Amino acid sequence: MILLTDNDILIKLSQCNLTNEALAVFECALPDCHVLDFVKHSLYLNDADKCIAKRVGSVEAYERLYELVQGCTELGAADEDIDFLEELSQMENIDAGEQALLLHAHDLHDKGAPFWLATGDKRALMGVHNSESVTAKSILRQRVECTESLVLKIMNIYGFDAVNHKIAGAARVTARFDSVLRMAFGTGRDINHARGCLQSYLNPITSFIRP
C-alpha cells in the first residue's frame, strides 16, 4: 500500500501529535507514506525557526514534523499524462504540490497499484469535485482521507477524550492551527459536537472519502 501525503496533513498531524494514530487508521508503517521530494524545502525543515514561525507554531511540533518527514519515502517526478495534466491545469485551487500528487495518483491508478491519498487541503478536493474531469474523480473515489475524515476515524479507535486532549492542547500553543479542528474540539466540547462539526465539512466531498 502506498500512502501519498501532502504538506498540510503532515503539519496538522505533527501539531496534534496524532501521527501514530493516523498510521493505525491506515494500517501502514511510516515508510509506506510517500512525500514529494521538495517537501523538506517547502516546510523549511532545515531552518527550525522559520518552520516554527511559518508552518507549525511550536518547537515540539517542529520536532515531530522533522521526524515524520525523515521517516517517509520520497517521491520523484511522476510520469506525465499530457491530457490529464491539461485537466488539472483547468481546476481551481490545485497548487503545484497537489498537482504533483495527483499525477502520482494517476500513475498508480493506471498501473493498478493500491494507494491512498491523505490531504489537509479540502480546497483542492473541491477543485476536483467542481471540475469536469471524470478521470480525476474516478482516481480519487473512495481513496482519500482529509483532516476531518481522518480525525473521525482516529476518534473511533482511540475515543473522543484522548483526541480532544491532544487537539485542544495543540490549539492553545499556536495561532497557526486548523480552524475546523479549533471549532470541533476544546473545553466544553463533546463527541456529538465534534462529529457534527467534522462531518459538516465532509459533505461536499464524501464520494472521495475512504469507507
Side-chain angles (χ1 to χ4, degrees), residues 13-210:
L13 291 176
S14 299
Q15 287 177 320
C16 298
N17 193 16
L18 288 173
T19 299
N20 289 335
E21 291 86 342
L23 292 175
V25 169
F26 285 108
E27 297 182 326
C28 71
L30 193 51
D32 297 320
C33 301
H34 289 61
V35 298
L36 297 170
D37 53 7
F38 53 79
V39 68
K40 294 176 183 177
H41 303 291
S42 60
L43 292 177
Y44 309 119
L45 288 187
N46 293 326
D47 187 336
D49 291 339
K50 192 171 184 178
C51 179
I52 292 167
K54 292 183 174 291
R55 294 292 185 260
V56 293
S58 74
V59 173
E60 293 78 11
Y62 167 76
E63 292 173 348
R64 290 191 289 264
L65 179 63
Y66 188 91
E67 183 177 354
L68 171 56
V69 173
Q70 288 295 110
C72 292
T73 301
E74 285 192 357
L75 292 164
D79 293 337
E80 291 189 0
D81 180 290
I82 300 302
D83 292 335
F84 185 58
L85 190 58
E86 176 63 23
E87 291 180 21
L88 292 176
S89 71
Q90 303 299 316
M91 297 179 192
E92 297 179 346
N93 301 316
I94 304 292
D95 62 23
E98 296 292 348
Q99 186 178 89
L101 286 177
L102 286 168
L103 284 171
H104 278 288
H106 180 272
D107 185 40
L108 292 168
H109 184 264
D110 276 0
K111 293 175 179 176
F115 72 92
W116 308 121
L117 174 67
T119 177
D121 187 355
K122 288 191 303 299
R123 296 180 308 155
L125 295 177
M126 285 301 300
V128 176
H129 174 76
N130 293 331
S131 76
E132 297 181 0
S133 175
V134 175
T135 301
K137 293 173 183 177
S138 175
I139 288 170
L140 294 187
R141 181 172 175 78
Q142 296 188 338
R143 287 191 173 93
V144 175
E145 294 286 8
C146 63
T147 305
E148 293 79 7
S149 64
L150 191 53
V151 171
L152 281 167
K153 288 170 183 168
I154 290 173
M155 280 201 302
N156 289 340
I157 298 173
Y158 295 93
F160 169 77
D161 290 341
V163 176
N164 188 49
H165 175 74
K166 286 194 171 185
I167 293 179
R172 286 194 294 269
V173 299
T174 177
R176 289 190 168 276
F177 196 71
D178 183 80
S179 59
V180 177
L181 293 182
R182 195 182 290 277
M183 287 188 291
F185 296 92
T187 303
R189 308 285 165 75
D190 60 22
I191 189 170
N192 292 327
H193 170 84
R195 281 179 173 164
C197 187
L198 295 172
Q199 190 61 54
S200 69
Y201 282 85
L202 286 176
N203 290 334
I205 53 170
T206 51
S207 64
F208 298 150
I209 303 302
R210 289 197 319 148

